[in-house]
Amino acid sequence: MVRQTIILPVLLATAFNVTAAPKPEAVTTLQAQWAQSATQQPFSAKRGAELWRKDGIVQKGNVVRCTTCHGEDLSQQGKHARSGKVIEPMAFSANPDRFTQIKKIKKWLKRNCKWTWGRECTAQEKGDLIEYLVSQ
Amino acid sequence: MKRTLCTAALAGVLGFSAPLTFAGETSWLDWVISFDRKKEVEPVTDATWLEECGACHVAYPPGLLPARSWEKLLAPSALEDHFGENAELDNETLNAIKAYALAHAADNSIYKRSRKVMASIRPDETPLRITETRYIRRKHSEIPEKYIKRNDKVGSLSNCDACHSEIQNGTFDDDTVIIPGVGRDWED
């Protein structure tokens, strides 16, 4: 009895690990599109993580980054730098509603890259950033 | 017999007055004869408005600004520089959002607070901020700055939902206000 109660969760956990966190379809579709346009390397979560924390332009006297609104800890809520509104966690594991709509991902990458870096992101950057966010 | 006819006629008038109020400017008479005198602000129910206009700040109820203000805020390409932010939308979404705002704007609303907001704006004024209207300014004039600007959890008066816990129902009543880190007894 005791053994069973231990084994069952372990089994379940392993079963889940194998199938856990498949990329949302929206992400696979978008990454396939980005991969076609001038990307040289396979998308990397490691590069994405660096871009996520990379210094951007100066806004109102402060250097801004993606973390300026989304926060340092992806599993926690963030806060919009201008209005103060709470932004739900970005980590896919903490917020399964994330990265499920193509239109939404494209719209916010366009807005936020301009806001943070003063320019649109390249296809490579977008692919790397999303690879990182989905892996979290 | 005469009674029922009378009631039917009255019901007819009232029934028809409702759709009319949203078609154009609500007349004072419409407001007086409507049974349903709404006290607060019409809550936001439109899914597109909630999604597109509720990402960076709370989705403000259209009943807090007149139609002419929404016209200006939502004019083509106005959203590209929206209080310093890029809130650009595709044409189809923008048109849907604009139609919603105009139909539910303060001057087309029978809700009491919307009427009060309207009454506080001069006809030659087109405020682009809710927080600039005299009615809203007056309601907050006694709150010390340290509870707003210097409050980490608020930051700005525009962040209505930081303090108004029932804004999603259109309710602003002072009984529903909780200033973060201060609570309900902010006046002491």
Side-chain angles (χ1 to χ4, degrees), chain A residues 30-96:
Chain A
L30 276 172
Q31 284 192 326
Q33 287 174 17
W34 293 327
Q36 284 183 353
S37 51
T39 50
Q40 298 83 23
Q41 311 165 58
F43 296 129
S44 134
K46 186 165 166 288
R47 269 200 311 273
E50 284 161 12
L51 290 169
W52 186 251
R53 292 177 178 79
K54 189 179 90 146
D55 285 354
I57 58 174
V58 174
Q59 293 233 25
K60 307 207 169 168
N62 294 311
V63 175
V64 297
R65 303 172 190 86
C66 300
T67 53
T68 303
C69 293
H70 292 294
E72 289 298 333
D73 183 348
L74 285 180
S75 66
Q76 302 288 312
Q77 291 178 330
K79 202 174 87 179
H80 195 280
R82 289 280 172 273
S83 66
K85 181 182 187 282
V86 165
I87 301 178
E88 292 305 323
M90 281 303 269
F92 187 45
S93 58
N95 186 355

Side-chain angles (χ1 to χ4, degrees), chain A residues 55-135:
Chain A
D55 285 354
I57 58 174
V58 174
Q59 293 233 25
K60 307 207 169 168
N62 294 311
V63 175
V64 297
R65 303 172 190 86
C66 300
T67 53
T68 303
C69 293
H70 292 294
E72 289 298 333
D73 183 348
L74 285 180
S75 66
Q76 302 288 312
Q77 291 178 330
K79 202 174 87 179
H80 195 280
R82 289 280 172 273
S83 66
K85 181 182 187 282
V86 165
I87 301 178
E88 292 305 323
M90 281 303 269
F92 187 45
S93 58
N95 186 355
D97 293 339
R98 285 286 177 217
F99 318 117
T100 48
Q101 297 168 52
I102 293 184
K103 221 175 134 182
K104 179 168 180 181
I105 300 173
K106 282 170 79 172
K107 179 179 72 190
W108 286 104
L109 280 177
K110 187 173 170 197
R111 277 183 189 160
N112 294 344
C113 288
K114 279 198 201 162
W115 196 94
T116 314
W117 298 342
R119 59 165 174 86
E120 288 198 31
C121 288
T122 64
Q124 180 79 51
E125 287 167 336
K126 289 188 229 178
D128 290 344
L129 280 162
I130 296 294
E131 187 71 24
Y132 166 62
L133 294 173
V134 176
S135 74

Side-chain angles (χ1 to χ4, degrees), chain B residues 15-76:
Chain B
F16 273 112
S17 72
L20 275 179
T21 54
F22 291 104
E25 195 132 332
T26 323
S27 73
W28 183 78
L29 192 67
D30 278 333
W31 184 74
V32 166
I33 61 174
S34 75
F35 279 132
D36 207 5
R37 230 168 277 173
K38 318 274 191 178
K39 277 176 64 184
E40 288 280 348
V41 178
E42 189 181 0
V44 178
T45 50
D46 186 75
T48 315
W49 183 272
L50 286 167
E51 165 86 21
E52 302 296 346
C53 304
C56 300
H57 45 63
V58 69
Y60 299 116
L64 290 173
L65 283 176
R68 59 180 184 276
S69 297
W70 294 119
E71 289 265 16
K72 209 161 166 183
L73 279 162
L74 302 171

Side-chain angles (χ1 to χ4, degrees), chain B residues 8-176:
Chain B
L10 187 64
V13 170
L14 288 173
F16 273 112
S17 72
L20 275 179
T21 54
F22 291 104
E25 195 132 332
T26 323
S27 73
W28 183 78
L29 192 67
D30 278 333
W31 184 74
V32 166
I33 61 174
S34 75
F35 279 132
D36 207 5
R37 230 168 277 173
K38 318 274 191 178
K39 277 176 64 184
E40 288 280 348
V41 178
E42 189 181 0
V44 178
T45 50
D46 186 75
T48 315
W49 183 272
L50 286 167
E51 165 86 21
E52 302 296 346
C53 304
C56 300
H57 45 63
V58 69
Y60 299 116
L64 290 173
L65 283 176
R68 59 180 184 276
S69 297
W70 294 119
E71 289 265 16
K72 209 161 166 183
L73 279 162
L74 302 171
S77 76
L79 285 175
E80 278 167 38
D81 183 1
H82 172 78
F83 304 94
E85 301 291 300
N86 184 331
E88 220 175 315
L89 291 171
D90 60 73
N91 280 339
E92 196 188 325
T93 315
L94 181 62
N95 287 339
I97 276 183
K98 204 160 153 183
Y100 178 72
L102 298 186
H104 299 266
D107 36 357
N108 292 333
S109 178
I110 55 165
Y111 284 73
K112 198 165 149 196
R113 283 201 206 283
S114 295
R115 313 297 306 176
K116 289 190 169 171
V117 168
M118 277 319 290
S120 81
I121 303 170
R122 282 200 310 262
D124 62 337
E125 290 174 326
T126 306
L128 295 181
R129 282 185 180 267
I130 296 158
T131 50
E132 261 170 19
T133 61
R134 274 176 210 90
Y135 175 68
I136 295 294
R137 280 225 309 265
R138 192 168 63 236
K139 286 289 182 181
H140 300 95
S141 61
E142 279 162 33
I143 307 173
E145 277 286 282
K146 65 175 177 200
Y147 294 159
I148 307 177
K149 286 249 157 56
R150 277 178 281 140
N151 184 338
D152 215 37
K153 298 226 154 59
V154 182
S156 137
L157 188 61
S158 312
N159 200 5
C160 320
D161 56 325
C163 304
H164 290 278
S165 61
E166 287 185 34
I167 185 173
Q168 74 278 6
N169 307 323
T171 303
F172 290 93
D173 193 283
D174 46 16
D175 290 346
T176 63

